[in-house]
Amino acid sequence: MAEELIDLAGVTRSVLLPDDQELHILRGITLSICSGDHTAIIGRSGCGKSTLLNLLGLLDLPTAGELTFMGVPARQLSGNARARLRGSSVGFVFQQFNLLPGRSALENVVTPLMYATGRDFWKRRELAMDMLDRVGLSHRAGTHPALLSGGEQQRVAIARALVRRPRLILADEPTGALDVDTGQAVMALLDTVATESGAALVTITHDVNVAALARSCYRLDQGVLSALSVPAAATA
Amino acid sequence: MTGVVSALLEAWQELRINKTRILLALVGVALSVAALTSVVGVGNLAREGLTANSERNGGRSATLGVGVYGPTAPDAATLTAAYQAMVARYGIDYYTSVDQAENGFQFPTGVRRVQLQVVDPGYGTIHRLTLEQGGWFTAGDETRLAPAVVVNEAFYNLAGRPNLTTNPGVGILGAGPATAVIIGVVPDDWEQAPPSAFILSAAAAAADIPLSGSGQFKFWVGQEQAEPLKAAIASDLQAQFPGMHIQVDRADYASQGDPFAVVQLAVGGIAGLVLLLGAVGMLNISMVTVRYRVREIGIRRSFGASSHRIFVGVMMESVVATAFAGVLGVMVAVAVVKNPWVEKTIAPGLSTYPPFPVDAALLGLGSAVLVGALAGAVPALVAVRVKVIDAIRF
């Protein structure tokens, strides 16, 4: 039976505007993600996708409702404990790749392991090299991001997200900066690697074709999350 | 353990990547550390030189110079007996009479007038004399038939630099001509110094060498005994020589305070200001860099870097960089202070130079690390306040 990784129950996130008005970005979100899931969340710009990503990645806390990460209520965790849990259990893939400039592909993949402890820290270069090999880029390990193509950069970003073997992979518009063919190849790779490692993959996108690759799909509209059937996602 | 190692590695990686920018920022820090360390090192060297010079002229700490003066000079024998009584009463181990004289000496190139210091064997210890050749007077030298002399380099050169193991002689002219034996050679006090020599009081008397009569007696006593003894000796002598003026003063360098303290403080203050300016430059560049690195900080936070780790990481970059600059600065300072020309110019009175002072090196390094910590703390606080997702989308 798949283990529940993250559970959102009636989660609301709001911010106070300068004129003391409260802006509700997310309203009553209820979502459960288990290991091995591939979930897509689609929505237009400004609908709250990034805020939901922050919550799922323990970068933020809900204003109301309960967020449980691997059975532990997020509110009970200190900032540093959330950072440690995020480092060990969550991998991020960003739209703009966000590779660190001035560092080679290998050094970028090593970066998350700098926050690890024990064997993962001391064997960081070998682990990073293995992961680059898995995404087919071991021959480009010493190359700097500026000299890599968009697809290669995203594959390095995927290797970096997965190098600490996270339980949850959060992909924020992972194909947004790629052409259609490269985007499909990257999504296929992400899906394969996530499936092989048993991690849950949550893709936040406004691209219905990307969403259609997921096994479950949700639409976020004006802060409200609703389930979609996957075929419906393709036409949403 | 891994936290410390990885923070250092991260800092080093950041320095490596931004080496040109950081190196430019560090030039000021390295130069000011070099200036600060050099000031302390040169000050130390100058103080050592002055101490050696002062000990050679005034005596070690604490040396009391005692003189009895009046309308007519006191009887020399009575005065010497009074001094000897003082030595016995207060248990003083090292003492000497000191007087001046001038006498003709016969050299291979002709006769030269030579300045003589008429002393006792204790003079060598009290004035910490270092000899280039031979040895200082011993008690046995007082009974020599041929008076012993310890000469300076200029005298030794005029005598033709003879081998001291052959007991070389040099003629003393005057009422009772005699041949003096050179037993030791001291360095000249300064370049082109005229010939001079030390001779024991008993030998000078035997050779009928007339003294200046303005001599005094010196006692080497413990620092804490100096003041009580000054009063006691003055009182004792006054009782023995009523109506005479008794002078008992500290003759050593330590009694004058530290003449370099003010200069060293002033130059050190200027170097400190330069260091502060270097720190402000470093802070400025670090602040700009942090703004430039907002996205990177956000990305690191998303990988699990805690705010504490981000703070330490950003600060460590500054500390590692300034520590590196500090090491460079200290190396420059060592090269400057240990330069033979600088050593000879600053401390001409020293024959062997002291090693580079460890406290100066530690001060330079410590200042550099402190500057790094201060210049790194502000940008580190800014980095901690970065909102992760905003930073990633920056």
Side-chain angles (χ1 to χ4, degrees):
Chain A
M1 185 181 161
E3 180 197 358
E4 186 180 78
L5 288 178
I6 191 160
D7 184 66
L8 283 74
V11 164
T12 297
R13 183 70 179 99
S14 37
V15 292
L16 202 59
L17 297 175
D19 59 359
D20 284 345
Q21 293 262 326
E22 205 169 19
L23 174 67
H24 298 284
I25 303 169
L26 299 175
R27 303 157 192 260
I29 304 284
T30 296
L31 175 67
S32 181
I33 292 165
C34 298
S35 55
D37 280 357
H38 183 174
T39 304
I41 296 168
I42 60 171
R44 297 180 199 283
S45 297
C47 69
K49 297 195 298 290
S50 297
T51 307
L52 182 57
L53 184 81
N54 290 352
L55 292 173
L56 294 174
L58 297 174
L59 293 169
D60 198 1
L61 288 172
T63 312
E66 194 65 59
L67 189 159
T68 311
F69 195 95
M70 294 171 71
V72 182
R75 276 184 211 287
Q76 289 181 8
L77 298 169
S78 67
N80 282 342
R82 277 189 282 134
R84 277 195 296 277
L85 193 57
R86 181 164 64 243
S88 62
S89 305
V90 183
F92 285 88
V93 177
F94 304 103
Q95 178 180 0
Q96 295 299 331
F97 325 130
N98 283 337
L99 298 179
L100 300 178
R103 292 159 183 81
S104 66
L106 180 64
E107 285 169 337
N108 265 282
V109 180
V110 161
T111 307
L113 294 167
M114 297 291 281
Y115 308 108
T117 54
R119 181 184 174 277
D120 278 6
F121 174 76
W122 297 110
K123 298 273 181 188
R124 59 193 180 279
R125 290 185 79 84
E126 290 94 316
L127 292 171
M129 204 61 200
D130 287 348
M131 192 49 71
L132 272 179
D133 197 33
R134 280 184 72 184
V135 299
L137 279 178
S138 53
H139 64 292
R140 304 281 271 161
T143 310
H144 282 232
L147 300 174
L148 296 171
S149 69
E152 285 175 327
Q153 287 188 49
Q154 194 60 301
R155 279 152 69 193
V156 173
I158 290 169
R160 186 178 62 178
L162 300 178
V163 74
R164 288 189 72 181
R165 299 177 299 281
R167 312 288 303 277
L168 174 66
I169 302 163
L170 297 174
D172 182 17
E173 304 278 11
T175 60
L178 303 173
D179 61 64
V180 175
D181 291 342
T182 311
Q184 280 180 349
V186 162
M187 280 312 297
L189 173 70
L190 203 50
D191 193 33
T192 305
V193 176
T195 305
E196 281 174 8
S197 61
L201 173 62
V202 176
T203 309
I204 290 185
T205 182
H206 62 259
D207 185 340
V208 290
N209 295 315
V210 170
L213 297 170
R215 289 186 277 281
S216 59
C217 190
Y218 294 85
R219 173 202 284 273
L220 190 60
D221 189 18
Q222 294 188 333
V224 178
L225 191 71
S226 52
L228 289 176
S229 65
V230 174
T235 56
Chain B
M1 170 69 177
T2 50
V4 175
V5 174
S6 61
L8 281 170
L9 281 174
E10 224 171 69
W12 181 248
Q13 197 176 41
E14 199 57 39
L15 296 181
R16 184 175 56 81
I17 289 164
N18 300 301
K19 54 183 175 289
T20 310
R21 174 180 57 76
I22 290 169
L23 275 178
L24 283 174
L26 291 180
V27 167
V29 176
L31 283 178
S32 42
V33 167
L36 191 67
T37 313
S38 298
V39 164
V40 177
V42 166
N44 186 67
L45 182 64
R47 193 175 287 116
E48 290 272 336
L50 186 78
T51 305
N53 208 31
S54 173
E55 283 182 347
R56 203 154 45 227
N57 296 317
R60 290 157 89 154
S61 177
T63 299
L64 299 180
V66 183
V68 178
Y69 309 100
T72 55
D75 176 59
T78 314
L79 191 58
T80 304
Y83 288 144
Q84 294 295 347
M86 222 70 68
V87 166
R89 185 176 309 142
Y90 298 113
I92 296 168
D93 293 328
Y94 295 97
Y95 55 90
T96 182
S97 59
V98 183
D99 209 335
Q100 315 292 323
E102 192 181 89
N103 207 77
F105 278 76
Q106 179 67 57
F107 293 104
T109 52
V111 173
R112 283 286 296 268
R113 301 291 294 174
V114 172
Q115 288 290 329
L116 287 171
Q117 289 236 67
V118 185
V119 299
D120 292 334
Y123 185 96
T125 307
I126 294 174
H127 290 261
R128 212 198 293 265
L129 287 186
T130 48
L131 279 81
E132 292 188 339
Q133 289 190 59
W136 182 249
F137 302 112
T138 60
D141 290 323
E142 290 179 330
T143 55
R144 276 175 178 256
L145 292 177
V149 287
V150 174
V151 303
N152 73 346
E153 272 284 317
F155 188 113
Y156 189 52
N157 287 335
L158 282 173
R161 303 187 70 82
N163 185 347
L164 295 191
T165 56
T166 62
N167 293 320
V170 55
I172 304 177
L173 306 178
T179 299
V181 176
I182 301 174
I183 62 164
V185 181
V186 294
D188 287 340
D189 285 340
W190 66 91
E191 278 186 49
Q192 312 291 329
S196 65
F198 292 95
I199 189 166
L200 291 175
S201 309
D208 279 337
I209 296 174
L211 305 183
S212 73
S214 61
Q216 58 172 189
F217 213 78
K218 283 185 174 177
F219 299 113
W220 181 30
V221 299
Q223 280 269 29
E224 58 289 342
Q225 296 170 301
E227 287 307 314
L229 274 178
K230 263 173 74 174
I233 290 170
S235 167
D236 288 357
L237 287 174
Q238 195 66 73
Q240 282 186 280
F241 299 94
M244 305 284 267
H245 173 64
I246 311 298
Q247 194 170 340
V248 186
D249 289 315
R250 286 278 295 269
D252 56 289
Y253 153 84
S255 64
Q256 308 297 317
D258 186 353
F260 282 103
V262 175
V263 177
Q264 205 170 5
L265 204 64
V267 181
I270 293 167
L273 274 177
V274 175
L275 194 63
L276 190 66
L277 288 176
V280 171
M282 187 81 195
L283 173 67
N284 189 25
I285 286 178
S286 301
M287 289 294 287
V288 173
T289 305
V290 162
R291 302 263 176 226
Y292 169 74
R293 289 173 57 196
V294 161
R295 178 184 286 193
E296 181 200 319
I297 290 165
I299 294 165
R300 288 184 184 279
R301 294 294 299 270
S302 75
F303 293 150
S306 62
S307 53
H308 170 254
R309 179 61 190 275
I310 292 290
F311 182 89
V312 171
V314 172
M315 200 161 94
M316 281 296 267
E317 284 167 27
S318 183
V319 171
V320 168
T322 53
F324 184 66
V327 170
L328 281 178
V330 169
M331 284 164 71
V332 170
V334 172
V336 168
V337 176
K338 293 305 290 175
N339 180 289
W341 182 84
V342 172
E343 283 184 325
K344 203 172 172 187
T345 307
I346 299 293
L350 288 180
S351 51
T352 53
Y353 297 100
F356 189 84
V358 176
D359 55 346
L362 290 178
L363 175 74
L365 266 181
S367 307
V369 170
L370 186 68
V371 160
L374 290 176
V378 178
L381 281 173
V382 172
V384 166
R385 288 166 184 269
V386 165
K387 288 198 166 137
V388 182
I389 211 73
D390 295 341
I392 292 167
R393 296 190 164 226
F394 183 71

